[in-house]
Amino acid sequence: MTYLRNRDNCPLIRLNINDFSGQPGAFCMSYGFDNSQLIKSINSVGLINYPYIVKNRDQQIELITGFRRILALKELNVKEVSCFDLTDLDISPYEMLMLAVYDNLFIREFNIVEKSLIINMLSQLVKGKGLLNEVCSLININQKDYKLFLRINMLDETIKQFISRGVLHIKTVESLISMDKEDALLLSDWINKLKLSYSYQLQCVDYLNDISRINKTSICSILNDTFFTELLRDEKKNIPQKAREFMDHLRVKRNPEFSKYQKLFEKTVKNLNLPVNVRVQNPQFFESKGYRMEIDFDNGKTLRNTLMEITDIKYNLEALKDPWLNESDEI
């Protein structure tokens, strides 16, 4: 952008702060931000980086860069602001957009929603793939995700706030886009309240989609189940505990045989009549191989005695096997 290398090309003018509406303009790409630090900075040392503006045919001000700075100045009750005026430079809308991108790019990273804003603005100004690919690379968007980022801006504002705060994984966002609006809103709210990790989010979406398809019901109906609503209200459990129980219950609803196998295994262990200091545990939801035996003992002698005792044929340890091999047994 050679037209900006010499600031003499851009006259610095003084404008009344009320000439700016305080609403995001056509080239604004700030979303979900906290302006407190910027306000402190301007209050301490003044405005260092002046906004860029153009005037339309009606002489109304259009802000190209500096939306957050204008908001900060309004908060500080500043009456006037100096701005660089690009009106007479005959700059194209695409060049204005790129000016705004570079103005932000070297002082911060764009969040996912801001990248979506840029992609949507760009799609209206540029048709050639070359420039699209160049900008995608500039703001760290994989070209294959271009259409996804186009659609993110169409999501509900509540969901976009979650996205901008880093609550939702990009793969989760992709799934939310294809959901019914009410389903997407409720699911994103649950993810936020339970602070689900990214891996939990992906599993959660898979489970809910499967349960919804199998039972021919909406995701809202699943999440409004009494078990889930009571879990959320349970003040005795912390957030990680609630998240684990939430995921465990979804697994069982998705795979009801888990519950059946658990009962079969517990029945087998109970029938062994093992000593009270011996416990046998199955892997959670039988998702991994191998079982676990725990023995409480006071010293090596009691451990040896316990080991000798449980190997007695009367305990029939050979009965311990994968529960689906015992499905013919009654629960």
Side-chain angles (χ1 to χ4, degrees), residues 207-245:
Y207 289 147
L208 286 170
N209 281 333
D210 286 348
I211 297 168
S212 175
R213 174 178 49 81
I214 293 169
N215 297 334
K216 295 181 173 57
T217 187
S218 69
I219 288 175
C220 279
S221 296
I222 299 168
L223 292 177
N224 284 327
D225 182 275
T226 303
F227 175 87
F228 292 130
T229 55
E230 290 182 353
L231 174 65
L232 202 58
R233 289 196 297 264
D234 191 342
E235 297 180 356
K236 295 180 180 179
K237 296 183 176 71
N238 59 34
I239 295 300
Q241 289 172 330
K242 291 179 180 180
R244 282 193 297 272
E245 285 197 32

Side-chain angles (χ1 to χ4, degrees), residues 75-297:
E75 186 73 19
L76 293 168
N77 294 316
V78 173
K79 303 302 180 184
E80 290 187 333
V81 57
S82 295
C83 300
F84 286 109
D85 186 2
L86 304 177
T87 305
D88 296 330
L89 296 187
D90 194 27
I91 299 176
S92 70
Y94 169 74
E95 291 170 324
M96 293 180 192
L97 172 62
M98 293 310 299
L99 172 59
V101 169
Y102 279 108
D103 182 68
N104 285 274
L105 190 62
F106 296 113
I107 58 173
R108 66 187 183 92
E109 290 187 9
F110 293 114
N111 63 46
I112 291 176
V113 177
E114 290 171 333
K115 291 180 180 181
S116 176
L117 288 170
I118 295 170
I119 291 299
N120 274 272
M121 288 186 276
L122 187 67
S123 68
Q124 298 175 32
L125 299 175
V126 174
K127 301 304 178 185
K129 286 187 177 180
L131 288 175
L132 290 174
N133 293 341
E134 181 181 339
V135 176
C136 283
S137 176
L138 188 65
I139 60 177
N140 292 321
I141 291 181
N142 194 309
Q143 294 174 21
K144 67 180 180 63
D145 293 328
Y146 172 76
K147 291 184 178 179
L148 168 61
F149 276 84
L150 271 178
R151 299 176 67 190
I152 288 174
N153 200 45
M154 299 164 57
L155 287 167
D156 185 270
E157 288 299 317
T158 300
I159 297 177
K160 288 197 289 185
Q161 285 292 335
F162 290 148
I163 297 171
S164 68
R165 285 162 36 201
V167 172
L168 300 173
H169 188 276
I170 186 64
K171 290 296 183 183
T172 306
V173 174
E174 187 173 9
S175 297
L176 293 175
I177 288 174
S178 62
M179 288 182 186
D180 175 82
K181 179 180 178 180
E182 295 304 317
D183 287 347
L185 272 170
L186 185 58
L187 175 54
S188 61
D189 187 51
W190 271 92
I191 290 173
N192 177 58
K193 287 177 178 176
L194 293 177
K195 301 185 184 337
L196 295 185
S197 67
Y198 289 165
S199 61
Y200 265 1
Q201 289 181 33
L202 301 183
Q203 292 176 51
C204 175
V205 169
D206 285 343
Y207 289 147
L208 286 170
N209 281 333
D210 286 348
I211 297 168
S212 175
R213 174 178 49 81
I214 293 169
N215 297 334
K216 295 181 173 57
T217 187
S218 69
I219 288 175
C220 279
S221 296
I222 299 168
L223 292 177
N224 284 327
D225 182 275
T226 303
F227 175 87
F228 292 130
T229 55
E230 290 182 353
L231 174 65
L232 202 58
R233 289 196 297 264
D234 191 342
E235 297 180 356
K236 295 180 180 179
K237 296 183 176 71
N238 59 34
I239 295 300
Q241 289 172 330
K242 291 179 180 180
R244 282 193 297 272
E245 285 197 32
F246 174 80
M247 293 301 299
D248 288 349
H249 195 69
L250 279 181
R251 285 191 187 96
V252 172
K253 288 179 75 70
R254 170 60 183 88
N255 300 290
E257 64 271 20
F258 282 155
S259 179
K260 178 177 66 174
Y261 292 151
Q262 184 69 41
K263 291 178 181 178
L264 279 170
F265 185 78
E266 289 174 355
K267 178 188 175 185
T268 300
V269 173
K270 182 179 180 181
N271 289 341
L272 294 177
N273 289 315
L274 291 168
V276 293
N277 63 324
V278 178
R279 294 175 298 279
V280 178
Q281 299 174 345
N282 58 279
Q284 189 178 37
F285 297 103
F286 302 96
E287 291 180 336
S288 59
K289 292 183 178 181
Y291 298 88
R292 180 186 182 91
M293 177 178 283
E294 293 183 354
I295 301 175
D296 297 330
F297 59 93

Side-chain angles (χ1 to χ4, degrees), residues 32-50:
F33 55 86
D34 177 3
N35 230 21
S36 58
Q37 290 301 315
L38 181 58
I39 292 172
K40 289 180 182 179
S41 172
I42 294 175
N43 191 43
S44 298
V45 299
L47 183 62
I48 299 173
N49 189 15
Y50 298 129

